[in-house]
Amino acid sequence: MSLRIRMARGGAKKRPFYRIVVADVRSPRDGRFIEKIGIHNPMVPKDHEERLRLDVERAKYWMSVGAKPSPRVHKFLAELDVLEKAAIPAQTKKDKPKAKAQERLKEAEEARLAAEEAAAEAAAAAAEAPAEEAPAEEAPAEEAPAEEEASA
């Protein structure tokens, strides 16, 4: 018989209250259990002493017999220094784009970087050019009226 230390829900609608119980894996969540070893009331503040009451000795006993805590109960036991904290699993790659979309993103990033480099080069060239071309710009301005007189 596989045993599990888990929470069984009680309380009214939108007012949860949980019993921490040792139960057979096959029994329903709020169904038959072997022993009640604690309570969890999420409606009280986190620092309140009535939020979590757990008989640690009974939990250790049931774990020595082979009961496995559920993830939430494992977290509670880790907070009480009975168990080590559970490792955070590595994220899957399912949330990432597929191969073709990644290639398109990579190409778009490369194009953006190339455009930034070209803009930076153009800005650098423009910064150097006005110092040299400043007298040259004034000369065509003088020639423009001469052209108007010739055409008249």
Side-chain angles (χ1 to χ4, degrees), residues 4-143:
R4 194 86 167 159
I5 302 173
R6 63 183 184 201
M7 299 195 317
R9 191 181 195 281
K13 185 167 99 173
K14 297 189 179 188
R15 304 283 300 172
F17 182 85
Y18 297 95
R19 292 175 302 203
I20 299 172
V21 298
V22 178
D24 184 9
V25 174
R26 297 168 293 183
S27 65
R29 177 190 73 174
D30 300 333
R32 189 173 62 183
F33 59 89
I34 298 169
E35 182 182 353
K36 176 183 166 188
I37 61 172
I39 61 147
H40 172 62
N41 186 359
M43 299 305 291
V44 298
K46 290 188 179 201
D47 58 346
H48 198 274
E49 62 188 34
E50 292 295 316
R51 185 174 175 93
L52 176 68
R53 278 193 282 150
L54 184 62
D55 188 353
V56 177
E57 296 303 319
R58 292 307 292 170
K60 286 181 182 178
Y61 165 76
W62 283 109
M63 286 189 293
S64 71
V65 174
K68 294 181 180 176
S70 68
R72 176 58 61 176
V73 174
H74 189 282
K75 184 177 177 182
F76 291 152
L77 292 171
E79 289 173 1
L80 297 172
D81 295 327
V82 176
L83 295 173
E84 292 183 17
K85 285 190 175 184
I88 298 173
Q91 286 291 95
T92 61
K93 295 182 182 177
K94 289 185 177 183
D95 63 328
K96 304 284 189 251
K98 301 291 184 213
K100 283 187 177 181
Q102 284 182 353
E103 285 179 25
R104 282 189 225 117
L105 290 172
K106 187 176 178 182
E107 290 172 3
E109 181 67 20
E110 289 173 357
R112 186 184 65 80
L113 290 174
E116 285 179 3
E117 288 177 13
E121 289 175 8
E128 293 175 7
E132 297 172 5
E133 295 180 7
E137 289 180 9
E138 293 176 13
E142 294 173 5
E143 293 176 10

